[in-house]
Amino acid sequence: MQLPLADDLAHALRLHAGSAVEDGVADRFLAFLASDPNVFERSHAPGHFAASAWLVSPDGERVLLTRHRKLQRWLQLGGHADGDRDLVRVALREAEEESGLRDLAIDPAIFDLDCHPIPARGIEPAHLHYDVRYVVRATGSEAFVVSDESLELAWRPIHAMAQDPQTDESLRRMAQRWLARKGRPLSR
């Protein structure tokens, strides 16, 4: 019997909780998942799930970042679930849409979790993004295409990001996590 996707996510969060260094973060995500059936919808006022891609180059030395048009910051690629309960699929779709890259492989194990506030903008109130992040590896061309959601894209050296105190804390954490696990194959 196939598990409903929310159960798949709950299982993945429990696995991540057992292996991650974040203290209680996965438990917070599990509580949010159980709090309301609409947590995958952008219209859920307190917040909603999003999925991101830590999109690494074929050699694993660089990550593709976007200078986000709305937030005016360098971030990993990703976006809203918009009702899709399969966050692995959401992360891969967002990586493809925002980069124009096609030959991508995704590790279905959770790589990182980050709950962060999104400021009010226009008629949209402030809310939280429960961002579930996955490793996506480019396996072909690295020639990206900038989408309408980005001001620019750039491949950045992961090693430098891990050591740079000016790098966003969340990106620095993922860079350090990637370097600690580098070389391990994608989960199957």
Side-chain angles (χ1 to χ4, degrees):
M1 180 174 132
Q2 179 82 15
L3 291 172
L5 289 170
D7 290 346
D8 288 348
L9 178 57
H11 178 70
L13 287 166
R14 283 189 209 93
L15 287 175
H16 187 72
S19 65
V21 295
E22 301 111 344
D23 188 27
V25 176
D27 292 334
R28 183 175 176 196
F29 275 63
L30 279 163
F32 180 68
L33 177 63
S35 71
D36 190 290
N38 297 311
V39 294
F40 293 91
E41 299 292 342
R42 204 183 293 214
S43 60
H44 186 254
H48 42 263
F49 277 106
S52 292
W54 179 253
L55 202 166
V56 295
S57 58
D59 64 5
E61 297 295 323
R62 291 164 290 122
V63 64
L64 187 62
L65 298 180
T66 176
R67 193 161 140 238
H68 196 275
R69 185 172 297 282
K70 290 181 184 175
L71 298 176
Q72 302 284 313
R73 296 174 37 204
W74 285 100
L75 301 169
Q76 73 283 350
L77 306 175
H80 297 97
D82 285 332
D84 191 341
R85 300 171 81 80
D86 184 345
L87 297 183
V88 173
R89 180 173 52 219
V90 173
L92 184 59
R93 179 183 68 231
E94 292 291 333
E96 290 172 343
E97 288 176 1
E98 293 183 16
S99 72
L101 298 175
R102 289 294 169 248
D103 298 317
L104 301 178
I106 189 165
D107 185 338
I110 294 171
F111 176 61
D112 187 67
L113 297 171
D114 193 73
C115 183
H116 51 270
I118 301 297
R121 200 167 161 268
I123 62 169
E124 186 177 290
H127 59 280
L128 295 174
H129 274 182
Y130 286 79
D131 194 12
V132 181
R133 296 159 171 187
Y134 300 90
V135 171
V136 176
R137 188 182 294 265
T139 63
S141 172
E142 294 180 33
F144 56 77
V145 177
V146 179
S147 76
D148 291 341
E149 295 182 39
S150 301
L151 293 169
E152 59 184 308
L153 296 175
W155 288 103
R156 296 289 168 93
I158 297 170
H159 191 271
M161 289 173 53
Q163 297 177 346
D164 183 359
Q166 300 301 316
T167 298
D168 173 88
E169 177 185 333
S170 171
L171 290 176
R172 193 169 59 250
R173 179 182 68 239
M174 287 189 290
Q176 291 166 351
R177 182 167 290 156
W178 174 254
L179 292 173
R181 72 163 269 183
K182 191 172 162 214
R184 292 194 328 222
L186 296 178
S187 300
R188 294 284 177 232

